[in-house]
Amino acid sequence: MPMTSSRRTVLTAGGLLAAGAVCSTASASPAAAAPTASPTDGWTKTPFTYSMHKPWNLDLSDRYSDSGGVRRMWVYDTDEPLSEGSSTDPRTEMRWKQEYTSGRHMWDADVYLPSGTNGATFAQILRVIHPEGTPATDFMLNIYNANGGTVRAFDRTVLKTGAYDTWFNVKLAHDASAGSVKVYLDDTLVLTAQDRGPATRHFKNGVYHHGTGRAEARFRNITYWTR
């Protein structure tokens, strides 16, 4: 189901969500330090299915490729939206079909963001069914053309710089029962935030382009975890 927010408005509408606190840990001496736990400890790998979203007037192969275990998705700011006549921004995305209202769900993938990609969402938790007057998105990870590629939660909190042209792992964990969203980069917790309240959700990844020029994201080792 496509997002219905007006073009160029979805980032600022969600920006305040990213004000959640970053968790800190106490230091320990090397001799006393316990083995570092993985963010996926206690979680179960779960099969997932998806459909592809793309500009309505193009073939999928014009904006998507899957080769050698790497999925590439790209789009231009001048491309058409998902549906003819829609006011939403252009996109090429995997729309996950696993919808949920409760429980714990984690999106996990290695991500590569080429230089120049500016103002695109590459992963999000979309509220496909939500109360009237509430936002359509629980959370977004966006890439901006600053400091060698800056990853932000919505358009606010900086989570990573130097993100261009290198692979890094992203885990987006949502406890829908507790209303908590956690972001891990290379298995380090970098942000904890709140979701937008009860809704039916699903994950999306690709490029949903709110910026300028050409946007591209690449993904490998995409995994769905539940618990």
Side-chain angles (χ1 to χ4, degrees), residues 125-177:
I125 303 171
L126 183 67
R127 296 159 58 84
V128 65
I129 302 173
H130 55 94
E132 185 176 357
T134 64
T137 308
D138 273 314
F139 196 79
M140 285 181 166
L141 290 174
N142 300 316
I143 179 68
Y144 294 93
N145 190 15
N147 299 314
T150 296
V151 174
R152 293 178 179 265
F154 286 96
D155 60 346
R156 302 296 178 90
T157 306
V158 173
L159 304 182
K160 180 179 178 63
T161 57
Y164 281 154
D165 303 326
T166 185
W167 287 100
F168 61 98
N169 181 261
V170 180
K171 291 180 173 67
L172 185 57
H174 185 199
D175 186 337
S177 298

Short mmCIF file of all heavy atoms in Angstrom, two decimals, residues 125-177:
data_model
loop_
_atom_site.label_atom_id
_atom_site.label_comp_id
_atom_site.label_asym_id
_atom_site.label_seq_id
_atom_site.Cartn_x
_atom_site.Cartn_y
_atom_site.Cartn_z
N ILE A 125 10.18 1.85 8.79
CA ILE A 125 9.06 1.10 9.34
C ILE A 125 7.82 1.89 8.98
O ILE A 125 7.61 3.01 9.48
CB ILE A 125 9.17 0.94 10.87
CG1 ILE A 125 10.49 0.27 11.26
CG2 ILE A 125 7.98 0.15 11.40
CD1 ILE A 125 10.76 0.28 12.76
N LEU A 126 7.01 1.33 8.11
CA LEU A 126 5.83 2.04 7.58
C LEU A 126 4.58 1.58 8.32
O LEU A 126 4.34 0.38 8.51
CB LEU A 126 5.68 1.76 6.09
CG LEU A 126 4.54 2.50 5.40
CD1 LEU A 126 4.81 4.00 5.38
CD2 LEU A 126 4.36 1.98 3.97
N ARG A 127 3.74 2.54 8.70
CA ARG A 127 2.47 2.28 9.37
C ARG A 127 1.39 2.17 8.29
O ARG A 127 0.76 3.15 7.92
CB ARG A 127 2.17 3.41 10.35
CG ARG A 127 3.18 3.49 11.48
CD ARG A 127 3.21 4.86 12.14
NE ARG A 127 1.92 5.27 12.68
CZ ARG A 127 1.46 4.92 13.88
NH1 ARG A 127 2.20 4.15 14.68
NH2 ARG A 127 0.29 5.35 14.30
N VAL A 128 1.16 0.96 7.81
CA VAL A 128 0.28 0.76 6.67
C VAL A 128 -1.19 0.96 7.06
O VAL A 128 -2.01 1.39 6.25
CB VAL A 128 0.52 -0.62 6.03
CG1 VAL A 128 0.15 -1.75 6.97
CG2 VAL A 128 -0.21 -0.75 4.71
N ILE A 129 -1.54 0.65 8.32
CA ILE A 129 -2.86 0.95 8.87
C ILE A 129 -2.63 1.67 10.19
O ILE A 129 -1.98 1.13 11.09
CB ILE A 129 -3.69 -0.33 9.10
CG1 ILE A 129 -3.87 -1.12 7.80
CG2 ILE A 129 -5.06 0.02 9.70
CD1 ILE A 129 -4.54 -2.48 7.99
N HIS A 130 -3.15 2.89 10.31
CA HIS A 130 -2.88 3.68 11.51
C HIS A 130 -4.05 4.61 11.80
O HIS A 130 -4.82 4.96 10.89
CB HIS A 130 -1.59 4.50 11.34
CG HIS A 130 -1.57 5.37 10.13
ND1 HIS A 130 -1.95 6.70 10.16
CD2 HIS A 130 -1.24 5.11 8.84
CE1 HIS A 130 -1.84 7.22 8.94
NE2 HIS A 130 -1.41 6.26 8.12
N PRO A 131 -4.22 5.02 13.06
CA PRO A 131 -5.33 5.90 13.40
C PRO A 131 -5.27 7.22 12.63
O PRO A 131 -4.18 7.74 12.35
CB PRO A 131 -5.15 6.13 14.90
CG PRO A 131 -4.36 4.95 15.37
CD PRO A 131 -3.44 4.61 14.24
N GLU A 132 -6.42 7.74 12.27
CA GLU A 132 -6.50 9.00 11.55
C GLU A 132 -5.80 10.09 12.34
O GLU A 132 -5.94 10.19 13.56
CB GLU A 132 -7.96 9.38 11.33
CG GLU A 132 -8.15 10.63 10.48
CD GLU A 132 -9.61 10.93 10.20
OE1 GLU A 132 -10.48 10.14 10.61
OE2 GLU A 132 -9.87 11.97 9.56
N GLY A 133 -5.01 10.88 11.63
CA GLY A 133 -4.29 11.97 12.26
C GLY A 133 -2.92 11.61 12.79
O GLY A 133 -2.20 12.48 13.30
N THR A 134 -2.53 10.33 12.70
CA THR A 134 -1.19 9.93 13.13
C THR A 134 -0.30 9.72 11.91
O THR A 134 -0.79 9.47 10.82
CB THR A 134 -1.24 8.64 13.96
OG1 THR A 134 -1.72 7.55 13.15
CG2 THR A 134 -2.16 8.80 15.17
N PRO A 135 1.02 9.83 12.09
CA PRO A 135 1.93 9.73 10.94
C PRO A 135 1.90 8.37 10.27
O PRO A 135 1.53 7.36 10.87
CB PRO A 135 3.31 10.00 11.56
CG PRO A 135 3.02 10.74 12.83
CD PRO A 135 1.72 10.18 13.33
N ALA A 136 2.32 8.35 9.01
CA ALA A 136 2.34 7.11 8.23
C ALA A 136 3.62 6.31 8.44
O ALA A 136 3.73 5.19 7.95
CB ALA A 136 2.17 7.42 6.75
N THR A 137 4.58 6.87 9.14
CA THR A 137 5.87 6.21 9.31
C THR A 137 6.29 6.23 10.77
O THR A 137 6.23 7.27 11.42
CB THR A 137 6.96 6.90 8.47
OG1 THR A 137 6.51 7.02 7.12
CG2 THR A 137 8.25 6.11 8.49
N ASP A 138 6.71 5.07 11.29
CA ASP A 138 7.27 5.01 12.63
C ASP A 138 8.71 5.49 12.66
O ASP A 138 9.14 6.15 13.61
CB ASP A 138 7.22 3.58 13.18
CG ASP A 138 5.92 3.26 13.86
OD1 ASP A 138 5.44 4.08 14.66
OD2 ASP A 138 5.35 2.18 13.59
N PHE A 139 9.48 5.13 11.62
CA PHE A 139 10.92 5.43 11.66
C PHE A 139 11.49 5.39 10.26
O PHE A 139 11.05 4.61 9.42
CB PHE A 139 11.64 4.41 12.55
CG PHE A 139 13.02 4.84 12.96
CD1 PHE A 139 13.19 5.75 13.98
CD2 PHE A 139 14.12 4.36 12.30
CE1 PHE A 139 14.47 6.18 14.34
CE2 PHE A 139 15.39 4.76 12.66
CZ PHE A 139 15.57 5.68 13.68
N MET A 140 12.50 6.25 10.02
CA MET A 140 13.22 6.29 8.75
C MET A 140 14.71 6.44 9.00
O MET A 140 15.13 7.16 9.91
CB MET A 140 12.79 7.49 7.91
CG MET A 140 11.45 7.39 7.25
SD MET A 140 11.14 8.91 6.28
CE MET A 140 9.75 8.38 5.29
N LEU A 141 15.51 5.78 8.16
CA LEU A 141 16.94 6.03 8.09
C LEU A 141 17.23 6.68 6.74
O LEU A 141 16.88 6.14 5.69
CB LEU A 141 17.73 4.72 8.21
CG LEU A 141 17.72 4.07 9.59
CD1 LEU A 141 18.42 2.71 9.53
CD2 LEU A 141 18.38 4.97 10.64
N ASN A 142 17.87 7.84 6.78
CA ASN A 142 18.10 8.65 5.58
C ASN A 142 19.59 8.92 5.40
O ASN A 142 20.35 8.97 6.37
CB ASN A 142 17.36 9.98 5.69
CG ASN A 142 15.86 9.80 5.83
OD1 ASN A 142 15.27 9.00 5.14
ND2 ASN A 142 15.26 10.53 6.75
N ILE A 143 19.99 9.15 4.15
CA ILE A 143 21.37 9.45 3.81
C ILE A 143 21.45 10.83 3.17
O ILE A 143 20.62 11.17 2.33
CB ILE A 143 21.98 8.37 2.88
CG1 ILE A 143 23.43 8.70 2.50
CG2 ILE A 143 21.11 8.15 1.65
CD1 ILE A 143 24.41 8.61 3.64
N TYR A 144 22.45 11.62 3.60
CA TYR A 144 22.63 12.99 3.12
C TYR A 144 24.06 13.20 2.64
O TYR A 144 25.01 12.58 3.14
CB TYR A 144 22.30 14.00 4.22
CG TYR A 144 20.84 13.97 4.61
CD1 TYR A 144 20.40 13.17 5.66
CD2 TYR A 144 19.89 14.72 3.91
CE1 TYR A 144 19.06 13.12 6.01
CE2 TYR A 144 18.55 14.68 4.25
CZ TYR A 144 18.14 13.88 5.30
OH TYR A 144 16.81 13.83 5.64
N ASN A 145 24.21 14.14 1.72
CA ASN A 145 25.49 14.43 1.09
C ASN A 145 26.28 15.43 1.94
O ASN A 145 26.45 16.59 1.58
CB ASN A 145 25.25 14.99 -0.32
CG ASN A 145 26.53 15.09 -1.12
OD1 ASN A 145 27.54 14.51 -0.77
ND2 ASN A 145 26.48 15.83 -2.22
N ALA A 146 26.78 14.95 3.08
CA ALA A 146 27.59 15.77 3.98
C ALA A 146 28.55 14.87 4.72
O ALA A 146 28.21 13.72 5.04
CB ALA A 146 26.72 16.54 4.97
N ASN A 147 29.76 15.36 4.99
CA ASN A 147 30.75 14.64 5.78
C ASN A 147 30.98 13.21 5.28
O ASN A 147 31.04 12.27 6.06
CB ASN A 147 30.33 14.61 7.26
CG ASN A 147 30.22 16.00 7.86
OD1 ASN A 147 31.10 16.83 7.68
ND2 ASN A 147 29.12 16.27 8.56
N GLY A 148 31.11 13.11 3.96
CA GLY A 148 31.38 11.80 3.38
C GLY A 148 30.20 10.86 3.42
O GLY A 148 30.38 9.64 3.30
N GLY A 149 29.00 11.41 3.54
CA GLY A 149 27.79 10.60 3.64
C GLY A 149 27.32 10.50 5.08
O GLY A 149 27.97 9.86 5.91
N THR A 150 26.22 11.18 5.40
CA THR A 150 25.72 11.23 6.77
C THR A 150 24.39 10.50 6.87
O THR A 150 23.44 10.83 6.15
CB THR A 150 25.54 12.69 7.23
OG1 THR A 150 26.83 13.34 7.25
CG2 THR A 150 24.93 12.75 8.63
N VAL A 151 24.34 9.51 7.75
CA VAL A 151 23.10 8.79 8.02
C VAL A 151 22.42 9.46 9.20
O VAL A 151 23.03 9.69 10.26
CB VAL A 151 23.38 7.30 8.34
CG1 VAL A 151 22.09 6.60 8.79
CG2 VAL A 151 23.98 6.60 7.14
N ARG A 152 21.13 9.77 9.03
CA ARG A 152 20.35 10.41 10.08
C ARG A 152 19.07 9.61 10.35
O ARG A 152 18.55 8.93 9.45
CB ARG A 152 19.95 11.84 9.70
CG ARG A 152 21.11 12.82 9.61
CD ARG A 152 20.61 14.19 9.18
NE ARG A 152 21.68 15.18 9.10
CZ ARG A 152 22.00 16.02 10.09
NH1 ARG A 152 21.30 15.99 11.22
NH2 ARG A 152 22.98 16.89 9.94
N ALA A 153 18.57 9.71 11.56
CA ALA A 153 17.22 9.26 11.88
C ALA A 153 16.27 10.36 11.45
O ALA A 153 16.36 11.48 11.96
CB ALA A 153 17.09 8.99 13.38
N PHE A 154 15.40 10.06 10.49
CA PHE A 154 14.64 11.10 9.80
C PHE A 154 15.64 12.14 9.28
O PHE A 154 16.65 11.79 8.69
CB PHE A 154 13.56 11.70 10.71
CG PHE A 154 12.39 10.79 10.93
CD1 PHE A 154 12.33 9.98 12.04
CD2 PHE A 154 11.35 10.73 10.02
CE1 PHE A 154 11.25 9.13 12.25
CE2 PHE A 154 10.26 9.89 10.20
CZ PHE A 154 10.22 9.09 11.33
N ASP A 155 15.37 13.43 9.50
CA ASP A 155 16.31 14.46 9.06
C ASP A 155 17.03 15.09 10.25
O ASP A 155 17.58 16.18 10.15
CB ASP A 155 15.58 15.53 8.25
CG ASP A 155 14.48 16.24 9.05
OD1 ASP A 155 14.12 15.73 10.13
OD2 ASP A 155 13.98 17.28 8.59
N ARG A 156 17.07 14.40 11.38
CA ARG A 156 17.58 14.99 12.60
C ARG A 156 18.87 14.31 13.09
O ARG A 156 19.95 14.63 12.65
CB ARG A 156 16.50 14.97 13.70
CG ARG A 156 15.21 15.70 13.33
CD ARG A 156 15.43 17.19 13.12
NE ARG A 156 14.21 17.88 12.72
CZ ARG A 156 13.33 18.42 13.55
NH1 ARG A 156 13.51 18.35 14.85
NH2 ARG A 156 12.25 19.05 13.08
N THR A 157 18.75 13.37 14.02
CA THR A 157 19.89 12.83 14.75
C THR A 157 20.90 12.16 13.83
O THR A 157 20.55 11.24 13.07
CB THR A 157 19.41 11.83 15.81
OG1 THR A 157 18.44 12.45 16.64
CG2 THR A 157 20.58 11.34 16.65
N VAL A 158 22.16 12.58 13.90
CA VAL A 158 23.24 11.97 13.12
C VAL A 158 23.63 10.64 13.76
O VAL A 158 23.98 10.58 14.94
CB VAL A 158 24.46 12.90 13.03
CG1 VAL A 158 25.63 12.19 12.35
CG2 VAL A 158 24.10 14.17 12.27
N LEU A 159 23.59 9.58 12.98
CA LEU A 159 23.96 8.26 13.46
C LEU A 159 25.30 7.78 12.91
O LEU A 159 25.95 6.93 13.52
CB LEU A 159 22.87 7.24 13.09
CG LEU A 159 21.46 7.57 13.57
CD1 LEU A 159 20.50 6.45 13.17
CD2 LEU A 159 21.42 7.79 15.08
N LYS A 160 25.70 8.30 11.73
CA LYS A 160 26.95 7.86 11.13
C LYS A 160 27.40 8.89 10.11
O LYS A 160 26.58 9.44 9.37
CB LYS A 160 26.76 6.50 10.44
CG LYS A 160 28.02 5.93 9.77
CD LYS A 160 27.72 4.57 9.13
CE LYS A 160 28.93 3.98 8.42
NZ LYS A 160 30.04 3.69 9.34
N THR A 161 28.71 9.16 10.05
CA THR A 161 29.31 9.94 8.97
C THR A 161 30.31 9.04 8.25
O THR A 161 30.64 7.95 8.71
CB THR A 161 30.00 11.20 9.50
OG1 THR A 161 31.00 10.82 10.47
CG2 THR A 161 29.00 12.14 10.18
N GLY A 162 30.78 9.50 7.08
CA GLY A 162 31.68 8.67 6.29
C GLY A 162 31.00 7.40 5.79
O GLY A 162 31.66 6.37 5.63
N ALA A 163 29.71 7.50 5.50
CA ALA A 163 28.92 6.32 5.14
C ALA A 163 28.99 5.97 3.66
O ALA A 163 28.60 4.86 3.27
CB ALA A 163 27.46 6.52 5.55
N TYR A 164 29.47 6.89 2.82
CA TYR A 164 29.49 6.63 1.38
C TYR A 164 30.52 5.56 1.00
O TYR A 164 31.61 5.48 1.57
CB TYR A 164 29.85 7.90 0.61
CG TYR A 164 28.72 8.89 0.42
CD1 TYR A 164 29.02 10.24 0.25
CD2 TYR A 164 27.39 8.51 0.37
CE1 TYR A 164 28.01 11.19 0.05
CE2 TYR A 164 26.38 9.44 0.17
CZ TYR A 164 26.69 10.78 0.02
OH TYR A 164 25.71 11.70 -0.18
N ASP A 165 30.14 4.76 -0.01
CA ASP A 165 31.07 3.87 -0.71
C ASP A 165 31.75 2.86 0.19
O ASP A 165 32.90 2.50 -0.01
CB ASP A 165 32.13 4.71 -1.46
CG ASP A 165 31.51 5.70 -2.43
OD1 ASP A 165 30.46 5.38 -3.02
OD2 ASP A 165 32.07 6.81 -2.59
N THR A 166 31.03 2.36 1.18
CA THR A 166 31.55 1.32 2.05
C THR A 166 30.38 0.50 2.57
O THR A 166 29.28 1.02 2.78
CB THR A 166 32.34 1.92 3.23
OG1 THR A 166 32.94 0.86 3.99
CG2 THR A 166 31.45 2.74 4.15
N TRP A 167 30.60 -0.79 2.76
CA TRP A 167 29.57 -1.63 3.33
C TRP A 167 29.54 -1.48 4.85
O TRP A 167 30.59 -1.47 5.50
CB TRP A 167 29.81 -3.10 2.99
CG TRP A 167 29.52 -3.46 1.57
CD1 TRP A 167 30.42 -3.62 0.56
CD2 TRP A 167 28.22 -3.72 1.00
NE1 TRP A 167 29.77 -3.95 -0.61
CE2 TRP A 167 28.42 -4.02 -0.37
CE3 TRP A 167 26.93 -3.73 1.50
CZ2 TRP A 167 27.38 -4.33 -1.23
CZ3 TRP A 167 25.88 -4.04 0.64
CH2 TRP A 167 26.10 -4.33 -0.70
N PHE A 168 28.36 -1.37 5.43
CA PHE A 168 28.19 -1.40 6.88
C PHE A 168 26.87 -2.09 7.20
O PHE A 168 25.94 -2.09 6.40
CB PHE A 168 28.27 0.00 7.50
CG PHE A 168 27.21 0.97 7.03
CD1 PHE A 168 26.06 1.20 7.76
CD2 PHE A 168 27.40 1.68 5.84
CE1 PHE A 168 25.10 2.11 7.32
CE2 PHE A 168 26.44 2.60 5.40
CZ PHE A 168 25.28 2.80 6.14
N ASN A 169 26.81 -2.69 8.37
CA ASN A 169 25.62 -3.44 8.75
C ASN A 169 24.64 -2.55 9.50
O ASN A 169 25.03 -1.74 10.34
CB ASN A 169 25.99 -4.64 9.63
CG ASN A 169 24.78 -5.46 10.01
OD1 ASN A 169 24.25 -5.33 11.11
ND2 ASN A 169 24.32 -6.31 9.10
N VAL A 170 23.37 -2.73 9.19
CA VAL A 170 22.29 -1.98 9.84
C VAL A 170 21.27 -2.97 10.39
O VAL A 170 20.85 -3.89 9.68
CB VAL A 170 21.59 -1.03 8.86
CG1 VAL A 170 20.46 -0.27 9.57
CG2 VAL A 170 22.58 -0.06 8.23
N LYS A 171 20.91 -2.80 11.65
CA LYS A 171 19.83 -3.56 12.25
C LYS A 171 18.82 -2.57 12.81
O LYS A 171 19.18 -1.68 13.58
CB LYS A 171 20.34 -4.49 13.35
CG LYS A 171 21.19 -5.65 12.83
CD LYS A 171 21.68 -6.54 13.96
CE LYS A 171 22.38 -7.79 13.41
NZ LYS A 171 23.65 -7.46 12.74
N LEU A 172 17.57 -2.74 12.40
CA LEU A 172 16.47 -1.88 12.84
C LEU A 172 15.49 -2.78 13.58
O LEU A 172 14.77 -3.58 12.98
CB LEU A 172 15.82 -1.23 11.62
CG LEU A 172 14.73 -0.19 11.83
CD1 LEU A 172 15.23 0.96 12.70
CD2 LEU A 172 14.24 0.35 10.48
N ALA A 173 15.50 -2.67 14.93
CA ALA A 173 14.72 -3.56 15.78
C ALA A 173 13.52 -2.81 16.35
O ALA A 173 13.68 -1.74 16.95
CB ALA A 173 15.58 -4.11 16.91
N HIS A 174 12.35 -3.38 16.18
CA HIS A 174 11.12 -2.74 16.63
C HIS A 174 10.40 -3.66 17.61
O HIS A 174 9.99 -4.76 17.25
CB HIS A 174 10.21 -2.44 15.44
CG HIS A 174 8.98 -1.67 15.80
ND1 HIS A 174 7.87 -1.62 14.98
CD2 HIS A 174 8.68 -0.90 16.88
CE1 HIS A 174 6.95 -0.86 15.55
NE2 HIS A 174 7.41 -0.42 16.70
N ASP A 175 10.27 -3.20 18.84
CA ASP A 175 9.42 -3.87 19.82
C ASP A 175 8.06 -3.18 19.78
O ASP A 175 7.84 -2.15 20.43
CB ASP A 175 10.03 -3.78 21.22
CG ASP A 175 9.27 -4.59 22.26
OD1 ASP A 175 8.06 -4.85 22.04
OD2 ASP A 175 9.85 -4.94 23.30
N ALA A 176 7.16 -3.72 18.96
CA ALA A 176 5.87 -3.06 18.75
C ALA A 176 4.99 -3.11 19.99
O ALA A 176 4.11 -2.26 20.15
CB ALA A 176 5.16 -3.71 17.56
N SER A 177 5.21 -4.08 20.86
CA SER A 177 4.42 -4.17 22.09
C SER A 177 4.83 -3.10 23.09
O SER A 177 3.99 -2.53 23.79
CB SER A 177 4.57 -5.57 22.70
OG SER A 177 4.08 -6.57 21.83
#
